[in-house]
Amino acid sequence: CGTSFPNVFSGMCVARQGKASMAVANALGANVQNVFLALAIPWSLQVFFIDKEGFPMQVHGLTTAVAEIYITLLPVVLTFLCCSCRLPRWSGF
């Protein structure tokens, strides 16, 4: 919650100014950056410097998580496509 709250607050501010696209871009950009920093960098350091062979990862049960991501993303994409590739003001509140 520490890094998410400022993103939520700034997203609400720009959405109320009628810049819903900026709010969505901010949220997506911040989350992509968080995932990259939290997962990719430590994993790369582990593989390149510590354990040069890699390490096994168990990925069973991933289908449900992927389905939840698509179900969450679907309304945003449909709204974007149905509104001439722009997010309307009402989608930012």
Side-chain angles (χ1 to χ4, degrees):
C1 181
T3 61
S4 297
F5 183 72
N7 289 332
V8 170
F9 184 72
S10 65
M12 287 171 40
C13 289
V14 295
R16 289 199 171 135
Q17 294 172 2
K19 301 174 184 174
S21 298
M22 184 185 292
V24 172
N26 180 34
L28 291 175
N31 286 321
V32 167
Q33 181 181 5
N34 288 343
V35 167
F36 174 72
L37 293 174
L39 297 175
I41 291 176
W43 180 81
S44 298
L45 292 173
Q46 172 78 18
V47 170
F48 292 129
F49 298 114
I50 299 169
D51 184 17
K52 302 198 188 275
E53 302 167 1
F55 51 92
M57 292 180 59
Q58 298 178 359
V59 292
H60 58 80
L62 198 59
T63 306
T64 304
V66 171
E68 289 171 353
I69 290 170
Y70 279 113
I71 289 169
T72 304
L73 186 61
L74 185 63
V76 175
V77 172
L78 288 176
T79 302
F80 183 74
L81 293 174
C82 291
C83 295
S84 303
C85 294
R86 302 189 91 188
L87 288 173
R89 182 176 172 90
W90 56 263
S91 69
F93 290 104

